[in-house]
Amino acid sequence: MNELYPHFSFSSIPTKSKSAPRARLGKLSTPHGVIETPNFIFCATKASVKGVASHHLKALGTNIILANTYHLMLAPGADLIEKMGGLHKFMGFEGVLLTDSGGYQIFAMGHGSVSEEIKRKSKHFSRASLIKITEEGALFRSYLNGQKFFLAPETSIAIQKKLGADLIVQLDECTPYHVSKSYTERSTKMSLRWGRRSLQAFTAGNDHRQALYRVIQGGIYPELRKMSVRGSEEEPFFGTALGGSLGKDKHQMHDIIAYTTEQLRNSTQPIHLLGIGDVEDIFLGVKEGIDTFDCVKPTRMARHGSIIVPKSVHERGFINLKNAQYRSDPTPLDETKKDFPICRYSRGYLHHLLKAREIAAAEILTQYNVLQMNQLFHSIRVALKNDSPEAFAALEKKWLKP
């Protein structure tokens, strides 16, 4: 592995926490910096974290973000980004960058989100963008202009090489919740083959500037998750990402995460949980040994007027500043963070900005949620390092218990 990734490393140590005995503290080293784990990766889908300019991210404690291969291949295009010096230079971000493979978009184009699947309660879905998936790859139409594109493991890797992110991901099929076990098994085996093809394409002409993650699939079936883990564990990937539909509800999702991470218990690779960002799920993932998480939820909530808070502050775990009760509230956004100018604005003023649909509202609240998530993960790491075995339990109680 060192021959493939001489400029990358990951090391982890167990914690002393009685309530999180399987959690681990780690350091992920890349050419663009060292990331302490557990950590959160904000989504810069189109080379931008919505509502936050790149130069503000570092001041808010952000040192790793994720950009979307599918969206960037459509616009402005991987060739242009490569010509502009790669993603880091293109978006003016000095930290660590991760790009996904485009595999989730294959799922979303054909089936919508998991919640949309379950709400529809039907196997008949709009497939307006996705044309077909074969052993060779996925054929789809651009949502921008209808142009046909073909994404294969090799083209996904080629695009990600041009984008130049530090951490990149193999192409996989993210199986939807509603499909049969037999389909999920066929798809999981195909994703394993796609992983080998991705690795072969990555190895060819490898310039040691990037590190490749495999993706674990298998849907809601434990035996298929195990098959996916075992099927690629001997391949020289740098990291492991957990993907796919994780179930119809929180309970099933937590069971699948726990089972899958049990199969990875002795892994020396960094483990990433794709697309999960609820605070409850983060605490569960940390306790199961997950190192990094990504999700659009913190920034999306902000754009809709909500800030993330511990349940000890509000029983719902968030405050919607659009609510009428904040119309004349002089309370600062967050009295505990007065060193940050955005936290000094009154809730009444922010309520006004939201109602007036001023762009500044989304900007301020997005920066706040980014700051809040970064400080949460810092607190998690401190709690796991703490000599007190109950420190993590106390933090979890603060965030999850009203």
Side-chain angles (χ1 to χ4, degrees), residues 174-307:
C174 178
T175 51
Y177 170 76
H178 75 274
V179 298
S180 66
K181 183 178 180 180
S182 60
Y183 179 93
T184 305
E185 181 174 2
R186 291 195 300 273
S187 174
T188 302
K189 290 179 178 178
M190 183 177 72
S191 286
L192 284 169
R193 294 191 293 273
W194 282 7
R196 296 185 190 102
R197 287 168 57 188
S198 296
L199 186 59
Q200 185 175 12
F202 172 80
T203 304
N206 178 24
D207 59 8
H208 307 303
R209 295 186 302 114
Q210 298 176 300
L212 181 63
Y213 278 57
R214 62 173 175 161
V215 178
I216 304 303
Q217 287 292 349
I220 61 173
Y221 306 101
E223 60 271 35
L224 298 183
R225 289 278 169 180
K226 182 177 181 179
M227 178 185 75
S228 184
V229 172
R230 297 289 174 261
S232 57
E233 65 183 350
E234 298 301 323
E235 304 287 347
F237 290 96
F238 175 77
T240 295
L242 309 188
S245 173
L246 295 169
K248 64 180 180 180
D249 53 35
K250 292 280 190 182
H251 179 74
Q252 190 173 39
M253 181 181 76
H254 291 178
D255 284 347
I256 292 298
I257 291 173
Y259 180 83
T260 308
T261 51
E262 179 61 35
Q263 307 306 307
L264 296 165
R265 191 64 63 214
N266 298 318
S267 175
T268 59
Q269 297 179 342
I271 300 172
H272 180 74
L273 185 55
L274 287 160
I276 301 298
D278 281 351
V279 173
E280 176 186 357
D281 304 330
I282 286 167
F283 274 97
L284 178 279
V286 168
K287 289 193 288 187
E288 293 296 337
I290 301 292
D291 302 299
T292 51
F293 305 76
D294 79 85
C295 192
V296 298
K297 189 170 183 177
T299 51
R300 178 179 289 166
M301 287 177 66
R303 295 195 302 277
H304 287 84
S306 293
I307 58 170

Side-chain angles (χ1 to χ4, degrees), residues 18-278:
K18 288 183 178 179
S19 58
R22 292 185 293 275
R24 58 186 190 174
L25 289 158
K27 286 191 176 181
L28 173 58
S29 298
T30 79
H32 285 94
V34 178
I35 305 303
E36 291 188 351
T37 63
N39 214 320
F40 191 79
I41 305 177
F42 293 96
C43 294
T45 303
K46 299 177 182 179
S48 171
V49 177
K50 287 183 173 66
V52 187
S54 296
H55 66 278
H56 286 311
L57 290 170
K58 186 174 182 180
L60 295 168
T62 302
N63 48 24
I64 180 169
I65 58 176
L66 178 153
N68 187 281
T69 294
Y70 164 76
H71 287 287
L72 293 177
M73 70 179 279
L74 298 182
D79 289 336
L80 185 144
I81 291 175
E82 182 181 39
K83 183 178 179 180
M84 296 287 286
L87 264 180
H88 289 90
K89 187 174 181 180
F90 185 59
M91 63 184 295
F93 182 69
E94 297 178 355
V96 180
L97 271 167
L98 182 151
T99 46
D100 61 7
S101 67
Y104 178 77
Q105 277 63 44
I106 295 173
F107 162 82
M109 287 185 296
H111 305 284
S113 69
V114 175
S115 62
E116 287 171 339
E117 282 188 81
I118 294 168
K119 288 175 184 176
R120 290 172 185 169
K121 297 180 181 178
S122 169
K123 294 185 180 180
H124 303 288
F125 301 99
S126 171
R127 305 180 76 90
S129 297
L130 179 64
I131 298 174
K132 64 179 178 179
I133 299 174
T134 68
E135 181 70 31
E136 292 306 309
L139 181 66
F140 59 92
R141 295 184 186 277
S142 165
Y143 70 93
L144 297 174
N145 57 18
Q147 180 183 353
K148 287 184 179 180
F149 284 86
F150 184 72
L151 190 63
E154 294 79 7
T155 53
S156 174
I157 295 298
I159 290 166
Q160 291 183 79
K161 283 188 174 184
K162 289 179 179 180
L163 296 176
D166 303 277
L167 309 172
I168 67 175
V169 180
Q170 71 149 98
L171 184 66
D172 62 307
E173 183 189 8
C174 178
T175 51
Y177 170 76
H178 75 274
V179 298
S180 66
K181 183 178 180 180
S182 60
Y183 179 93
T184 305
E185 181 174 2
R186 291 195 300 273
S187 174
T188 302
K189 290 179 178 178
M190 183 177 72
S191 286
L192 284 169
R193 294 191 293 273
W194 282 7
R196 296 185 190 102
R197 287 168 57 188
S198 296
L199 186 59
Q200 185 175 12
F202 172 80
T203 304
N206 178 24
D207 59 8
H208 307 303
R209 295 186 302 114
Q210 298 176 300
L212 181 63
Y213 278 57
R214 62 173 175 161
V215 178
I216 304 303
Q217 287 292 349
I220 61 173
Y221 306 101
E223 60 271 35
L224 298 183
R225 289 278 169 180
K226 182 177 181 179
M227 178 185 75
S228 184
V229 172
R230 297 289 174 261
S232 57
E233 65 183 350
E234 298 301 323
E235 304 287 347
F237 290 96
F238 175 77
T240 295
L242 309 188
S245 173
L246 295 169
K248 64 180 180 180
D249 53 35
K250 292 280 190 182
H251 179 74
Q252 190 173 39
M253 181 181 76
H254 291 178
D255 284 347
I256 292 298
I257 291 173
Y259 180 83
T260 308
T261 51
E262 179 61 35
Q263 307 306 307
L264 296 165
R265 191 64 63 214
N266 298 318
S267 175
T268 59
Q269 297 179 342
I271 300 172
H272 180 74
L273 185 55
L274 287 160
I276 301 298
D278 281 351

